[in-house]
Amino acid sequence: MSLSHGILGFLSYEPMTGYDLAKFFSSSVNFFWHAQTSQIYLELGKLEKNGMVSSEQILQTEKPNKKLYSLTPAGKEELQRWLKENKDTPDAFKDYKSAFLMQIFFSGDTSETETMERLQKFSSQCQEIFQQLDGIANQLQSTPEKDPVSARRAACWALTADFGKRYMEMCTQWAQDGIRTLRQLQETPGPDQT
Amino acid sequence: MSLSHGILGFLSYEPMTGYDLAKFFSSSVNFFWHAQTSQIYLELGKLEKNGMVSSEQILQTEKPNKKLYSLTPAGKEELQRWLKENKDTPDAFKDYKSAFLMQIFFSGDTSETETMERLQKFSSQCQEIFQQLDGIANQLQSTPEKDPVSARRAACWALTADFGKRYMEMCTQWAQDGIRTLRQLQETPGPDQT
DNA sequence: AGGCTCATGTAACCGGTTACATGATTAT
DNA sequence: ATAATCATGTAACCGGTTACATGAGCCT
């Protein structure tokens, strides 16, 4: 229900092709909404059928032809409607799914060493993503937008990038502390080990 | 791909019914893997067809009859296989999807006040979930398990609960800081507003 | 009489994944 | 040559959601 709204969101910036959208997705919202390129095309098709977007063939000679998609008035309306929609129940995390945490949860029968390795790997991955997001955040900060519209967009982007950075920081910390806890568990075999 | 493994995981504790599983899910892994009761029954059906679990009718007089599911050897094997499986690419977050962040990302045209309200609500929700998880964590800490098996399980549970607590803490902090940032943006209308 | 706990399912739908398929132009 | 960038799609599948459907026993 949200890839389509993400597409509408980006198209509200300016008309673009499916290919452009894929790049925008992977360079900005990727960490909280990974989109398959193929899915974008599928969704564009549906949106066009519903009258949310319209397309225009652009013939090119040096490059393959392309289809430029734009928001229709109905699409703009739907985007606004969705932006205002907020779920009241602690629903913000209903969609949150983590196979990784599930594995940790059930690793009671796994050796501590293995679990520690897993945590270590996770921690490294988080640091990697942190670096990426940090790059984005710095770039956003160092290139001030001239017009107020872009400035506001950049501010929103910065807000989400900041979320990502904090999230990754938290994950790294958690994993490191977890490793320490497990090490202690390993070293103290329990009060009575007969 | 993971609800089924969660089911196998819980069944490795002890044989139980779909109803039991639903309760276990919602009381422990709920915050990182919300499971519909109906989906659990569906999945149990598939798992039985694949030979991962077997069921036994238990006739009851004071209560409705029930079906007790147990892990088969093949199910145990599959659980172990899955527990060892770890994705190498920074895939840990490929599944992470947040419609909420998407809305924040595209709220450049929304009034700061509205966005601030949204953040405030989010923050409250996070605090609520934090309280829940804190309750679980405290309970886990105050009731020491006697046998080493349960102790290890409890440790894993504690690890994931701790993750949740930190996550919620981070979210609350982020939202509060975000509100402050937006307030500043509101008060300083920009360098040249002609 | 009404609500809670126990208990198990079905059917329609859909958003998304995986894998596959194609092909032009430009730069190295 | 070949890799990268530009560019667009289809088909099979599947995990999960929403909504619906049922019904016994117990407690107040």
Side-chain angles (χ1 to χ4, degrees):
Chain A
M1 194 81 271
S2 242
L3 209 208
S4 52
H5 290 106
I7 292 176
L8 295 180
F10 280 121
L11 290 181
S12 81
Y13 289 179
E14 57 187 345
M16 47 179 113
T17 67
Y19 188 77
D20 295 331
L21 279 165
K23 278 197 298 181
F24 268 84
F25 265 91
S26 74
S27 71
S28 55
V29 302
N30 192 54
F31 89 90
F32 63 80
W33 206 288
H34 174 73
Q36 235 85 32
T37 311
S38 61
Q39 185 65 12
I40 290 174
Y41 285 106
L42 241 50
E43 223 60 50
L44 278 171
K46 285 184 206 165
L47 287 169
E48 190 166 23
K49 217 174 282 172
N50 300 341
M52 298 292 147
V53 304
S54 61
S55 66
E56 186 195 355
Q57 270 278 346
I58 306 277
L59 303 168
Q60 297 183 122
T61 46
E62 354 73 66
K63 291 175 198 170
N65 297 337
K66 60 183 182 181
K67 263 163 106 176
L68 242 200
Y69 286 90
S70 328
L71 272 193
T72 62
K76 267 180 210 166
E77 229 174 90
E78 171 57 22
L79 176 62
Q80 289 310 315
R81 190 203 59 72
W82 174 73
L83 281 171
K84 286 200 170 44
E85 167 186 308
N86 66 20
K87 312 289 179 82
D88 18 50
T89 17
D91 163 279
F93 296 101
K94 211 198 63 184
D95 300 338
Y96 186 78
K97 303 237 148 127
S98 169
F100 170 73
L101 286 178
M102 188 89 99
Q103 288 178 319
I104 295 295
F105 186 88
F106 287 114
S107 56
D109 297 334
T110 311
S111 78
E112 273 95 353
T113 316
E114 259 178 279
T115 310
M116 281 157 70
E117 276 167 21
R118 188 185 283 275
L119 287 173
Q120 185 53 53
K121 195 169 183 182
F122 178 72
S123 166
S124 315
Q125 289 178 353
C126 292
Q127 274 178 303
E128 250 178 70
I129 305 181
F130 178 89
Q131 290 305 330
Q132 275 172 240
L133 289 167
D134 196 43
I136 290 175
N138 286 332
Q139 215 176 308
L140 281 170
Q141 215 178 4
S142 61
T143 51
E145 306 289 339
K146 49 270 150 261
D147 63 304
V149 178
S150 330
R152 290 165 125 270
R153 282 177 193 164
C156 290
W157 190 351
L159 215 53
T160 55
D162 183 43
F163 182 98
K165 280 177 64 180
R166 288 170 188 239
Y167 188 20
M168 292 306 115
E169 244 166 11
M170 178 241 113
C171 288
T172 325
Q173 260 314 111
W174 169 79
Q176 294 303 325
D177 291 348
I179 291 171
R180 245 167 269 138
T181 309
L182 288 176
R183 193 172 297 132
Q184 281 178 334
L185 259 177
Q186 235 177 356
E187 282 161 8
T188 45
D192 74 273
Q193 185 95 358
T194 7
Chain B
M1 194 80 271
S2 242
L3 210 207
S4 53
H5 290 105
I7 292 177
L8 295 180
F10 279 120
L11 290 181
S12 80
Y13 288 179
E14 57 187 345
M16 46 180 114
T17 68
Y19 188 76
D20 296 331
L21 280 165
K23 279 197 299 182
F24 268 85
F25 265 91
S26 73
S27 71
S28 54
V29 302
N30 193 54
F31 90 90
F32 63 81
W33 206 287
H34 175 73
Q36 235 84 31
T37 310
S38 61
Q39 185 64 14
I40 290 175
Y41 285 107
L42 241 52
E43 223 59 50
L44 278 171
K46 285 185 207 164
L47 287 169
E48 191 167 22
K49 216 174 281 171
N50 300 341
M52 298 293 148
V53 303
S54 61
S55 66
E56 185 195 355
Q57 270 278 347
I58 306 276
L59 302 169
Q60 297 182 124
T61 46
E62 353 72 66
K63 290 176 199 170
N65 297 336
K66 59 183 184 181
K67 262 162 105 177
L68 242 200
Y69 287 90
S70 327
L71 272 193
T72 62
K76 268 180 209 168
E77 228 175 273
E78 172 55 23
L79 176 61
Q80 289 310 314
R81 189 204 61 71
W82 173 74
L83 281 170
K84 285 200 171 43
E85 166 185 310
N86 65 21
K87 312 291 179 76
D88 18 51
T89 19
D91 162 279
F93 297 101
K94 210 198 64 183
D95 299 337
Y96 186 77
K97 302 237 147 124
S98 169
F100 169 73
L101 286 178
M102 188 90 99
Q103 287 178 321
I104 295 295
F105 186 88
F106 287 114
S107 56
D109 296 336
T110 311
S111 77
E112 273 96 353
T113 316
E114 261 178 279
T115 310
M116 281 157 70
E117 278 167 20
R118 188 185 284 276
L119 288 173
Q120 185 54 53
K121 196 169 183 181
F122 178 72
S123 167
S124 315
Q125 289 179 351
C126 292
Q127 274 178 302
E128 251 178 70
I129 305 180
F130 178 89
Q131 291 305 329
Q132 275 172 242
L133 290 167
D134 196 42
I136 290 174
N138 285 332
Q139 216 176 307
L140 282 170
Q141 216 179 1
S142 60
T143 51
E145 307 288 339
K146 49 270 149 262
D147 63 305
V149 177
S150 331
R152 288 165 127 270
R153 282 178 193 164
C156 290
W157 191 352
L159 215 53
T160 55
D162 182 43
F163 182 98
K165 280 177 64 181
R166 289 170 188 238
Y167 188 20
M168 291 307 114
E169 243 165 11
M170 177 241 115
C171 288
T172 326
Q173 260 313 111
W174 169 79
Q176 293 304 324
D177 291 348
I179 290 171
R180 243 166 270 139
T181 309
L182 287 176
R183 192 172 298 133
Q184 281 178 335
L185 258 177
Q186 236 177 356
E187 282 160 7
T188 46
D192 75 270
Q193 185 97 354
T194 9

